[in-house]
Amino acid sequence: MLVKMWINGEAIRDHIDPDMLLLDFVRRHGCASVKRGCETSNCGLCTVMLEGKPILSCSMLAARAEGMHVMTLEGIQEEAREFGSFMAGQGADQCGFCNPGFIMNVLAMIRELTDPTEEEIKEYLEGNLCRCSGFVSQLRSIMEYLKYKKGEQDGSGK
Amino acid sequence: MITIKKYLKAESLEQAYELNQKKNNRIIAGMLWVKMGSNTIQTAIDLSDVVSASVSEHPDAFIIGAMTSLRTLETHKGLHEYTQGAMKESLRHIVGVQFRNMATVGGSIHGRYGFSDVLTMFLAMDSYVELYKEGIIPLEEYANRKRSKDIIINIIVKKEDLRMAYLSQRNTQTDFPTLACAVSFGKKGKRVVIGARPQKAMIIEAEESALEIPESQKDKLADVLSGQVEAQVITGSNMRASAEYRRHLARVLTRRACLQILEGGAEKSC
Ligand SMILES: Cc1cc2nc3c(=O)[nH]c(=O)nc-3n(C[C@H](O)[C@H](O)[C@H](O)COP(=O)(O)OP(=O)(O)OC[C@H]3O[C@@H](n4cnc5c(N)ncnc54)[C@H](O)[C@@H]3O)c2cc1C
Ligand code: FES
Ligand code: FES
């Protein structure tokens, strides 16, 4: 079947099998940042934004995204790099396997919530598993990044 | 792994209904549960264009389209106020935000899953299921029926003077609940719904001895009601917990939820 959608602003048309997952579709179109982790909707590694909302690309058919806008890490590289430097600064960047999904969901959270509390941050990121960091350094990096975004620190608190 | 031979966006409810009568065809909503199986679907029926994915609030009811995501329910201001935060509490531990942006209320209610927070929550309110062919039936009746091939169009929650609270116990944050508990005080009386027993949620209506207690006697009322739940609830054992532990939890969570209501609710921002 033929599908059309926008990936990171670029219009894509392609013939697919009806059961092709969105995860495989975006990877086929150059978005190698989107990874397959659990494939049972539990780990958050495959997170992309669909019409601005974070979803799990391992659990959605590409056909469902017909006519929609998909955003992956490749489409928000500058923002991702900026936040990534806070992760590195706080030691939250260990094996790095979880990073693409984690960063996508953090950036989705920042778009959705204004001035989230620590509890709200933890709740928003419950669906992103990390086997290395123990989540504390990840939380620190988000708090520091949010301060930076509000102009409360100059980026040296990375 | 599921295999899908054909994907079809239904153009009318009649078309979706007709297709759904065939054994190997299947409605796909959020697809999260369907995907956990391993079978071949001849035609996957997408309801996106024919079933609503939003909540509309009316003076006497909420009408919730079956394709509404759990995240939309969780962040809906009207439902949040009406349930004093219980709606959000029932949903916020389900896997993650990304998951809840996809999972739908229709898929959750159709599934009547034993572990379901969603079913537990909706059974505690005056809820109805609107089916394409059969019309509107009480959720309690729907939940106790065998699965049919009719299509859920809406979930309707009739408004009343309701006070409620929702609590669940989980072994880890985003796991299935070990036990789920929704308590509501409405015009028909006081109702406790216990889900994840681990069987499908069961309703326990407060008995006379609890109804007679004035609400000013908070501890006494909470003790008597939770005692009734402990005596009546039917629990089972599985890898998450034993039947005895669940029975004990049912009493504890009912008592806490009851006190939460009597002390004015636990409303947090949504
Ligand atoms: C890993 C995992 C963890 C979960 N944890 C929890 C939890 O902790 N608490 C909880 O409450 N739930 C939990 N769930 C269940 C989840 O919240 C949803 O209820 C479930 O995924 C079904 O919703 P869906 O939209 O994905 O439906 P689908 O998977 O698309 O469909 C489910 C079934 O419903 C049918 N269907 C869908 N929509 C309709 C309709 N409108 N009319 C008729 N039939 C329809 C489908 O044909 C299918 O048979 C979990 C699910 C998974 C996969
Ligand atoms: S790969 Fe999608 S949630 Fe794990
Ligand atoms: S850094 Fe290794 S899994 Fe998160």
Side-chain angles (χ1 to χ4, degrees), chain A residues 39 47 54 58 64 112 123, chain B residues 28-29 35 71 92 98 101:
Chain A
E39 222 196 323
T47 302
C58 75
R64 180 54 77 73
E112 191 176 330
E123 198 173 300
Chain B
I28 300 277
K35 186 174 165 279
R71 181 77 179 154
R92 72 188 181 104
Q98 305 98 309
N101 273 330

Side-chain angles (χ1 to χ4, degrees), chain B residues 26-27 29-34 104 108 110 117 152 170 176:
Chain B
R26 192 123 185 233
I27 288 170
M31 203 182 77
L32 294 148
W33 195 255
V34 168
T104 66
S108 302
H110 173 88
D117 291 284
I152 304 177
R170 286 170 146 84
F176 287 150

Side-chain angles (χ1 to χ4, degrees), chain A residues 78-129:
Chain A
E78 223 166 276
E79 225 181 317
R81 208 171 293 123
E82 188 178 51
F83 173 61
S85 67
F86 281 80
M87 287 182 71
Q90 296 295 335
D93 200 4
Q94 296 190 23
C95 82
F97 188 65
C98 64
N99 281 8
F102 175 71
I103 294 175
M104 280 310 285
N105 211 26
V106 169
L107 298 181
M109 176 188 75
I110 286 168
R111 283 161 167 73
E112 191 176 330
L113 307 181
T114 22
D115 215 3
T117 61
E118 189 174 319
E119 197 192 338
E120 285 168 339
I121 295 171
K122 284 184 185 162
E123 198 173 300
Y124 203 97
L125 296 165
E126 265 182 7
N128 288 84
L129 302 185

Side-chain angles (χ1 to χ4, degrees), chain B residues 182-199:
Chain B
V183 178
S184 60
F185 293 2
K187 70 171 189 296
K188 288 186 196 151
K190 295 179 168 54
R191 167 176 278 202
V192 180
V193 184
I194 302 291
R197 302 176 289 121
Q199 304 92 330

Side-chain angles (χ1 to χ4, degrees), chain A residues 1-3 16-19 61-66, chain B residues 4-20 22 24-29 31 41-51 67 151:
Chain A
M1 63 187 289
L2 178 69
V3 287
I16 58 162
D17 288 334
D19 49 10
L61 296 175
R64 180 54 77 73
E66 163 76 25
Chain B
I4 297 173
K5 300 271 192 217
K6 188 176 171 198
Y7 184 88
L8 187 127
K9 235 179 196 180
E11 287 171 4
S12 67
L13 281 166
E14 186 58 29
Q15 183 195 26
Y17 178 83
E18 286 303 327
L19 282 168
N20 200 35
K22 300 207 176 78
N24 294 329
N25 296 349
R26 192 123 185 233
I27 288 170
I28 300 277
M31 203 182 77
I41 296 173
Q42 194 57 40
T43 302
I45 312 156
D46 179 351
L47 298 177
S48 303
D49 287 349
V50 292
V51 172
M67 290 294 280
I151 296 172

